[in-house]
Amino acid sequence: MTPPKELRLLPWSGPEGKPCYLSTDDRDGYMSRLADNVESIQIGSAAQLLNLASELLDDKKAGLDDMRRLTRELTCSLRDVLRIATSRGDLLAVSEPHDT
C-alpha cells in the first residue's frame, strides 16, 4: 500500500495570513528544500533573538520602546517556531506506522 500524500504546513503564510500547505511525496523536491531552508533561517533567527533578549533584559538602561520592539520581534519569532513545530509534528504523525 502506498502511503498517503502528506500535507506539509509551510513556514510562511499565504494571502490574508492563511496557512500554506504543500502536497508532495518528494521530501527532496524544490519546495520541500525551500521550506527546510526557510525553517532553518527562522530557527537561527529565533536563537539570535533569544540571546539579544537576554542581553536587553540585563541592560538597566533599556527603555520601554526597546522592550516593546523586543516583545514584537519575540512574538513574531515564536509564531514562526510554533508553525515549524506544528508542521514537524504533523509530519511525524503521518510517517509513524499505525497498528491495524
Side-chain angles (χ1 to χ4, degrees), residues 14-88:
E16 300 173 12
K18 294 184 179 181
C20 290
Y21 293 91
L22 174 64
S23 176
T24 184
D25 290 330
D26 185 5
R27 291 186 182 202
D28 291 322
Y30 174 78
M31 289 301 294
S32 293
R33 287 182 288 127
L34 178 62
D36 290 342
N37 289 336
V38 170
E39 287 178 352
S40 179
I41 291 167
Q42 288 173 329
I43 290 170
S45 294
Q48 290 176 345
L49 188 56
L50 184 58
N51 288 334
L52 176 64
S54 295
E55 291 172 10
L56 192 59
L57 288 171
D58 289 338
D59 183 358
K60 304 235 186 278
K61 295 180 183 178
L64 186 57
D65 288 340
D66 295 324
M67 292 301 172
R68 283 189 177 128
R69 187 172 25 260
L70 173 64
T71 302
R72 194 174 309 113
E73 291 180 22
L74 284 170
T75 301
C76 291
S77 184
L78 181 58
R79 186 176 295 116
D80 291 342
V81 171
L82 282 173
R83 183 182 293 126
I84 293 167
T86 299
S87 176
R88 292 184 181 184

